[in-house]
Amino acid sequence: MAPSILAADFSRLADEIHQVEQAGADWIHCDVMDGHFVDNISFGPAIVGFVRKQTKLPLDVHLMIEHADHYVPRFVDAGANSITVHVEPEAKHDVGKTLRQIRDAKCRVGLTLNPETDFKLIEPFLDKIDMLLVMTVHPGFGGQKFRVDQMPKLKRAKSINDRIDIEVDGGINADTARVSIQNGANVLVAGTSIFKTKDYAKAIRDLRGS
Ligand code: DX5
Ligand code: ZN
């Protein structure tokens, strides 16, 4: 379970992180948006560094930015444990080179594709990553509706490389978590269905189906 702090109350971010950690979170998902690759601006390395000081949980950094290769060193220095970059040409970086850069920095290597992106774009890299993130919403905002039409991508990835983690992100709640797990997901990102509730521990149990 990787709660997405995009939905957290930033006026008391330290408390929010401590609470989801006590509630059973496994990782903390950090959504970095630059207002170019996606139509929204969130936060950068400084906030990831702040999160790093609040918890020992792995930081799962999702870069929705152009020129990720230029910024990877700053997120490594901020304390990221895994860094996930986008495969789309609009992300304006040499994907293979950036994946090696993340690997050489001793971070877990993640790659992701938007719902509109053909799976073919990802296939050449499936043996070079630790985690595939299948976006189940078009990135840029929390609180969007889950796209069940993305499930075949999970199965396809598993059939090609069953050693990598399969992460889903966007519109994950107790029902869509079930569907995602049935299709091969083992990492669930959730923002609204955790931080917009009163009981984080119950929310995480419901998402786990326990
Ligand atoms: C969207 C982000 C997601 C988002 C998830 O671009 O990548 O991580 O914060 O939020 P919910 O769970 O509310 O869809
Ligand atoms: Zn995300």
Side-chain angles (χ1 to χ4, degrees):
M1 276 306 321
S4 161
I5 59 169
L6 190 70
D9 176 351
F10 271 65
S11 70
R12 49 186 201 83
L13 186 57
D15 285 351
E16 292 273 66
I17 293 163
H18 299 152
Q19 280 174 26
V20 278
E21 182 164 356
Q22 273 145 30
D26 301 297
W27 301 354
I28 301 290
H29 185 81
C30 301
D31 288 306
V32 178
M33 303 174 180
D34 66 351
H36 294 282
F37 181 71
V38 288
D39 184 21
N40 197 2
I41 298 172
S42 60
F43 50 81
I47 293 289
V48 171
F50 173 83
V51 176
R52 178 73 288 163
K53 292 197 184 86
Q54 308 309 320
T55 179
K56 289 195 172 36
L57 289 177
L59 300 189
D60 173 33
V61 176
H62 178 192
L63 297 183
M64 290 160 274
I65 65 174
E66 293 179 348
H67 310 298
D69 53 323
H70 178 73
Y71 296 96
V72 161
R74 297 183 206 178
F75 289 100
V76 171
D77 293 348
N81 298 91
S82 68
I83 296 177
T84 299
V85 296
H86 274 264
V87 73
E88 290 80 14
E90 294 78 12
K92 301 182 180 166
H93 65 118
D94 174 331
V95 176
K97 205 164 149 219
T98 307
L99 298 180
R100 283 193 300 279
Q101 184 191 16
I102 299 168
R103 172 83 61 210
D104 294 347
K106 306 275 181 284
C107 262
R108 293 185 86 244
V109 180
L111 189 60
T112 182
L113 72 169
N114 292 343
E116 304 79 10
T117 303
D118 192 309
F119 192 82
K120 284 198 189 67
L121 230 61
I122 283 274
E123 287 186 6
F125 305 106
L126 278 176
D127 62 345
K128 297 177 181 58
I129 60 176
D130 302 305
M131 179 169 73
L132 174 69
L133 165 53
V134 174
M135 289 303 302
T136 44
V137 297
H138 186 78
F141 301 90
Q144 300 182 76
K145 191 171 178 310
F146 174 84
R147 289 191 51 167
V148 72
D149 64 344
Q150 298 305 299
M151 293 301 102
K153 289 178 178 175
L154 280 69
K155 287 216 161 117
R156 181 114 185 80
K158 268 279 178 222
S159 71
I160 297 171
N161 183 346
D162 64 0
R163 289 187 316 282
I164 56 176
D165 285 321
I166 306 282
E167 184 176 50
V168 286
D169 184 11
I172 300 299
N173 58 34
D175 298 329
T176 57
R178 215 69 34 257
V179 173
S180 300
I181 292 167
Q182 282 156 4
N183 284 278
N186 68 313
V187 184
L188 306 173
V189 175
T192 307
S193 59
I194 295 175
F195 287 109
K196 304 303 181 194
T197 70
K198 290 201 170 25
D199 184 340
Y200 294 174
K202 179 179 180 312
I204 289 177
R205 282 197 307 277
D206 292 348
L207 285 158
R208 284 190 203 285
S210 55

